[in-house]
Every structure is written in C-alpha cells, then in structure tokens.
Amino acid sequence: MIVWSATVPATGWAAIRLTGAEPGIRGIQLLAFTPYVAGLALVPLLLACGLRRWWPAALAAVTTVALAGGVLPRGLPDLDRGPIRSGGPTLRVMSSNMLFGGADATRIVALVRDNQVDLLALQEYTVESERALAAAGLGELLRYRAAYPRDGVIGSALYARHPLTEPALRQHAASGFGQAAAVLTVPGAAPVDVESAHPAAPSDPGTEVLWRSDYTDLPGATPDGRLRILLGDFNATLDHATLRRLIATGYRDAADVTGSGLATTWPYDGQRVPPVTIDHVLADRRIGVRTVSTHLVPDADHRAVIATLTLPPGDAG
C-alpha cells in the first residue's frame, strides 16, 4: 500500500502534463513545478524496486520516463536552432521584470552595456523606474524607445539601439496589463515585430480567468509574414500547454533550444517558493538562437534573461 501511495500521485501528475490539462488555478500553479516532480519520481521507482514490488515499479518507471521526456530536453541543445550561420545581423535582446518599478536601474543598465544589448523589454515599468533608468544612462546606450510607464504592475517598455517605429501599448482586455510593442529596424535585416510580453499571473482563484484570457491576446508567430520576437514575463513555464500552444504557432523558446531551459527566473526576492522558469524569449523560427543567459537584478523578483539571436538577412527598407 505504501508503494502504491508513493507511485500514484506522480503518475497522475504525469498524466495531467502529457494530456495538456490545466485543471483549475491550483493545477496551473502546480504544473510550474513539474521539473521538481520529475526528479522526485525516482523515489517511488527506487522504493518499489528495492521492495521487489514489480507492478508499482513498472508504473513508476513509465511515470519517470514520461516526466523526464517532458523536462530533460530543455537541458540539451537542439540540433536545429535556426539559421545561426545565415550571415544575417546579430541581435542581442534582454527582458527584465522591474517589480513595481523598484528593480536596480544601475544594474539593468550595466547588463545592457556589458552584454551589448540591442533590445530591452521591461515589465512592471513605472514613472519612477523610467527616471531611474534615464539617470543611470540607459538613453545613451539605447536611444529609441516605446515606453508606457504606469503605477503598479501594468506598465511596459521597449528600448532599442536601432529605430523603433509604430510604437503602441497593447493592453489586455481582461487584466489591464500592458505590453509595449513596436517594429524594430536592424540594418541588414527585414523589419521585426517586437513586444514586451506580460500576461496576468495565476496567483489566486480570481486570476485564473485573467491568465487564460490574456493568453488569447498574445500574438502568435507569423511564419508567412513579418518576423516576430515576443519576450518578457509570461507567467507560465513550458509545462503549461497554454504556453506550448503559443510556441507551436511558429516560435522557438530560446532557452529551450540552447539547453538553458532549466535555468530558473522567478522568484528571487526571498520567497520560500522553489524557483521556476516563467521568463522567456520567443523568436520566430526564421530567426537563429545562439545563446541564452540569466542574471540577478537587485530589488527585483525575476532574473533578467539575455539572448543572442541571428536575424535572417534581408532588406530593412
């Protein structure tokens, strides 16, 4: 009985993960911790084998393989990372959630400078953070911007080294969260639609409908149209079918394809929650993905994500 009791919960978890179910707010929240469950699934397998309980051992083995199959590929580089040797221009992008605008602006600007970032996406962007970033010299590094400061968590911004045209604030109808969007023009490449993603967090029962609705607003890839990069705080991991369906429209998750998909990004503000990966860079499949790294930012609860991309050569005009 003890062996079955240890085996069945992990099997149920694997079934939910494999079927793409997201059963209620608690299910949405718990799915984010699937990598931890995949590791713990070895415990009932070893227990059943040690006690020579072969039926539960077989079930535990199937469960372990199923969970590992969904998680382990994130830690292995893909053979296909897009046209990384296309001869097109390099684009370095960065995303950082500023935690009500209180994140260390000096650190963010230093990351931009040290990593030669070309495009910066910010979430939870406020008037105070706008001033702090300006004082830290961000405008000297990234002179173009589409910035929409707001109180609380709904503000958003894009800063860029190259021109940003058609700036807009796309606001989720359900939650009111904003997403700065623009068209980025990089010399030697076709124009790229860029957007700072930030759907509502599934933090309590009242936010489930907001999370689901905001995801219907997120722009899918346009494989037959303009190039697109969507980066930011997605409030979901690759264990959420909702995010996987978005990626399936024609994106690559940059961390996943470079073998960095298990690098966690939240929370990093002292919360007693095992960290998970909810910040992502989604790049059109016509864009190559070379490297991804994460970086601590003082006074923020998210790690910043930096990705090096290769745009396909094209006509910027």
Side-chain angles (χ1 to χ4, degrees):
M1 186 64 180
I2 294 176
V3 177
W4 282 110
S5 297
T7 303
V8 170
T11 301
W13 196 299
I16 291 172
R17 169 61 174 81
L18 289 175
T19 60
E22 291 165 345
I25 190 68
R26 296 305 174 210
I28 293 169
Q29 293 171 340
L30 289 172
L31 276 170
F33 303 101
T34 297
Y36 296 97
V37 177
L40 291 173
L42 288 170
V43 175
L45 174 60
L46 295 174
L47 177 63
C49 289
L51 295 175
R52 299 186 179 183
R53 299 289 304 278
W54 303 122
W55 284 112
L59 181 60
V62 170
T63 298
T64 300
V65 170
L67 288 171
V71 171
L72 288 182
R74 298 172 216 175
L76 303 172
D78 285 10
L79 294 177
D80 180 11
R81 288 186 282 152
I84 57 177
R85 297 181 178 86
S86 67
T90 295
L91 181 71
R92 297 176 181 87
V93 303
M94 172 177 160
S95 173
S96 184
N97 182 307
M98 299 194 71
L99 185 58
F100 302 104
D104 188 329
T106 302
R107 170 63 171 163
I108 290 173
V109 173
L111 286 171
V112 169
R113 180 183 299 109
D114 295 346
N115 293 277
Q116 297 180 301
V117 168
D118 302 299
L119 174 69
L120 172 65
L122 298 169
Q123 304 87 47
E124 303 194 18
Y125 176 80
T126 65
V127 171
E128 292 76 16
S129 62
E130 181 178 49
R131 292 170 180 160
L133 290 164
L138 182 60
E140 299 168 12
L141 301 172
L142 305 177
R143 59 179 294 197
Y144 302 97
R145 65 176 181 166
Y148 304 93
R150 299 288 188 274
D151 291 339
V153 300
I154 64 175
S156 183
L158 292 167
Y159 287 78
R161 190 178 308 276
H162 305 293
L164 290 172
T165 58
E166 302 178 33
L169 178 66
R170 284 175 21 88
Q171 202 151 19
H172 292 294
S175 69
F177 281 41
Q179 298 193 170
V183 178
L184 176 68
T185 303
V186 179
V192 185
D193 284 333
V194 292
E195 190 160 337
S196 177
H198 195 202
S203 55
D204 57 64
T207 59
E208 178 184 352
V209 66
L210 303 183
W211 182 80
R212 294 188 188 279
S213 179
D214 284 4
Y215 259 87
T216 66
D217 293 339
L218 291 177
T222 51
D224 296 322
R226 187 180 282 165
L227 296 168
R228 185 184 296 277
I229 299 171
L230 189 61
L231 69 166
D233 171 11
F234 285 77
N235 279 311
T237 76
L238 292 178
D239 293 300
H240 291 101
T242 297
L243 176 58
R244 297 198 303 275
R245 285 192 292 268
L246 176 64
I247 293 170
T249 62
Y251 289 116
R252 283 187 179 86
D253 180 281
D256 181 28
V257 301
T258 57
S260 304
L262 294 175
T264 56
T265 64
W266 175 90
Y268 282 91
D269 61 345
Q271 295 186 53
R272 293 186 177 181
V273 176
V276 294
T277 308
I278 62 174
D279 299 82
H280 305 270
V281 174
L282 304 188
D284 186 302
R285 287 185 171 272
R286 294 167 290 178
I287 297 173
V289 182
R290 290 162 55 187
T291 64
V292 174
S293 56
T294 63
H295 306 265
L296 282 171
V297 176
D299 302 319
D301 57 343
H302 291 247
R303 292 177 69 102
V305 178
I306 297 176
T308 303
L309 310 175
T310 300
L311 300 178
D315 181 6

